[in-house]
């Protein structure tokens, strides 16, 4: 047996309960992992609320780091290996769980469990957004929404290290300060300022060639309006709700604009892609190019409070759940 968070119906944070569940022996290709740290991500709230429907009852949570305690037939890991995971299935809010070995990565020496759980999903997201989805070039300017969030703080550091000028949006002065300390050359407070007008000011009227938008409904129109002709909107999340359907004529009016809606799962679909992406993240953590800001910690028993704080915009940087 182990303790795990379960939901039986989609709903608010109160829909989650921490219960005793049975933990079966690892089947072929699977390993058992005892979690030492669990990552909190906005996608967990979409699974809980039903925005991303899934079969119920279900566990919850997509990211964690821990130690392999049992190995199924054919799995390429050993008991005692330190591993991290983030696209291996849903159910990481647990003390222990079975996971497919092909979706795990070994944590390099020098990276602790908390850091691994705080950086893997968010860091891999930044890796594929910046290097493979819409590669950002040195000298380019881009716009990123929710700059002081978990993905946001890592994005600012990585993009500025590429030699890009990064404009970020945030909802408060304290978040603006944090974003500025993490690579953002310009920070717009979108609770007070018109984003497209501020971007026009910063870019001398030109607009930006690319916007990375994880906020969704509330920022979508401003993101399109901030683009220069032939620019690309990378719409990768729904923190404020899912964006409305796109009128293709709007893309013509903006000047031959592009919109893409990428997911981490498709950019780390093969084991090689997954491990290469993780290696790029951990390499930057180890050599100091990426500083992982763990700003909140909650025991697993307080998972509902963690979701409430994330959804109420009270968190910054990464959050770790302690099993
Ligand atoms: P964050 O830590 O960034 O938290 C979300 C932030 O969004 C808030 O702190 C808040 O910042 C901002 N926000 C704006 N409007 C709202 C609103 N109405 N309600 C709540 N928050 C709002 O979360 P993550 O780092 O975990 O994820 C960031 C985004 O990236 C999410 O949309 C997530 O789904 C997406 N994502 C997508 C992936 C993909 O591959 N497609 C992979 C990983 C993440 P502020 O107060 O400054 O506005």
């Amino acid at each position: 047996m182990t303790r795990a968070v379960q939901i039986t119906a989609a709903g608010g944070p109160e829909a989650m309960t921490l219960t005793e569940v049975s933990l079966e022996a690892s089947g072929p290709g699977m390993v058992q992992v005892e979690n030492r740290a669990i990552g909190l991500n906005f996608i967990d709230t979409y699974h809980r609320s039903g925005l991303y429907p899934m079969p119920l009852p279900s566990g919850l949570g997509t990211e964690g780091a821990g130690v392999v305690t049992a190995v199924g037939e054919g799995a390429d890991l050993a008991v005692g290996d330190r591993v991290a995971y983030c696209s291996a299935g849903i159910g990481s809010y647990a003390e222990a769980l079975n996971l497919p070995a092909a979706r795990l990565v070994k944590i390099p020496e020098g990276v602790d469990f908390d850091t691994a759980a705080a950086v893997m999903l968010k860091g891999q997201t930044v890796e594929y957004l910046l290097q493979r989805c819409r590669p950002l070039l040195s000298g380019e300017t881009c716009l990123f929404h929710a700059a002081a969030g978990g993905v946001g703080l890592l994005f600012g550091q990585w993009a500025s290290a590429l030699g890009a000028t990064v404009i970020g949006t945030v909802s408060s002065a304290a978040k603006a300060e944090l974003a500025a300390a993490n690579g953002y050359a310009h920070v717009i407070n979108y609770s007070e300022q018109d984003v497209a007008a501020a971007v026009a000011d910063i870019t001398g009227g030109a607009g930006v060639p690319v916007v990375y938008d994880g906020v969704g409904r509330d920022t979508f129109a401003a993101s399109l309006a901030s683009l220069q002709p032939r620019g690309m909107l990378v719409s990768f999340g729904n923190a404020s709700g899912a964006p409305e359907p796109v009128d293709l004529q709007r893309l013509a009016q903006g000047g031959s604009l592009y919109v893409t809606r990428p997911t981490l799962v498709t950019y780390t679909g093969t084991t090689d892609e997954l491990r290469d992406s993780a290696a790029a993240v951990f390499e930057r953590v180890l050599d100091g190019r990426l500083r992982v800001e763990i700003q909140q910690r909650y025991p697993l028993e307080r998972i509902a409070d963690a979701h409430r704080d994330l959804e109420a915009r009270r968190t910054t940087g990464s959050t770790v759940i302690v099993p």
Side-chain angles (χ1 to χ4, degrees):
M1 300 292 283
T2 188
R3 287 197 315 159
V5 168
Q6 296 274 293
I7 58 165
T8 52
E14 69 289 346
M16 298 182 286
T17 50
L18 183 59
T19 47
E20 290 272 324
V21 296
S22 63
L23 188 62
E24 284 146 31
S26 306
M30 303 288 285
V31 297
Q32 212 160 86
V33 175
E34 191 182 287
N35 274 333
R36 296 295 167 80
I38 298 163
L40 180 74
N41 293 284
F42 220 92
I43 192 172
D44 306 345
T45 70
Y46 309 148
H47 290 140
R48 191 210 69 223
S49 70
L51 180 66
Y52 291 176
M54 57 180 189
L56 296 172
S58 173
L60 214 61
T62 51
E63 182 176 35
V67 178
V68 173
T69 52
V71 179
E73 194 191 321
D76 66 342
L77 288 165
V79 170
D81 280 348
R82 301 164 71 246
V83 291
Y85 57 91
C86 67
S87 356
I90 297 172
S92 71
Y93 294 172
E95 287 173 348
L97 72 169
N98 283 302
L99 292 161
R103 303 301 295 169
L104 300 184
V105 301
K106 287 190 192 173
I107 303 173
E109 221 172 291
V111 177
D112 60 40
F113 291 115
D114 277 13
T115 302
V119 78
M120 186 159 165
L121 189 150
K122 298 166 189 75
Q124 287 197 323
T125 301
V126 172
E127 182 279 318
Y128 88 75
L129 289 175
L130 281 175
Q131 301 199 152
R132 294 184 286 139
C133 178
R134 195 317 191 159
L136 190 65
L137 307 176
S138 176
E140 283 191 316
T141 301
C142 71
L143 174 64
F144 185 97
H145 293 298
V151 177
L153 291 188
L154 298 171
F155 182 95
Q157 295 175 48
W158 198 317
S160 61
L162 290 173
T165 300
V166 199
I167 306 172
T169 59
V170 295
S171 66
S172 72
K175 288 186 177 186
E177 207 173 301
L178 189 58
N182 282 271
Y184 290 87
H186 306 272
V187 185
I188 300 166
N189 183 336
Y190 52 15
S191 318
E192 295 168 354
Q193 289 172 272
D194 178 281
V195 172
V199 169
D201 269 356
I202 293 165
T203 58
V208 288
V210 52
V211 179
Y212 301 92
D213 185 346
V215 169
R217 185 161 54 209
D218 289 356
T219 47
F220 197 83
S223 294
L224 284 180
S226 300
L227 286 171
Q228 56 185 230
R230 290 158 55 180
M232 180 180 282
L233 168 52
V234 180
S235 173
F236 69 98
N238 326 276
S240 65
E244 298 297 322
V246 186
D247 175 2
L248 290 181
Q249 198 50 35
R250 174 69 190 84
L251 304 186
Q253 285 159 359
S256 308
L257 302 179
Y258 299 82
V259 177
T260 184
R261 180 44 174 104
T263 67
L264 176 61
V265 166
T266 41
Y267 275 87
T268 54
T270 67
T271 302
D272 280 350
E273 282 175 332
L274 174 81
R275 292 184 177 165
D276 287 352
S277 180
V281 172
F282 287 130
E283 179 188 304
R284 283 166 174 75
V285 172
L286 282 168
D287 70 16
R289 276 179 291 169
L290 265 191
R291 218 175 42 257
V292 184
E293 300 271 3
I294 301 174
Q295 302 273 18
Q296 300 78 214
R297 278 190 177 79
Y298 303 81
L300 189 52
E301 291 78 8
R302 287 189 53 221
I303 189 65
D305 289 336
H307 273 224
R308 283 187 194 101
D309 288 348
L310 183 62
E311 290 179 293
R313 307 162 84 158
R314 286 192 287 264
T315 64
T316 54
S318 293
T319 300
V320 165
I321 308 297
V322 183

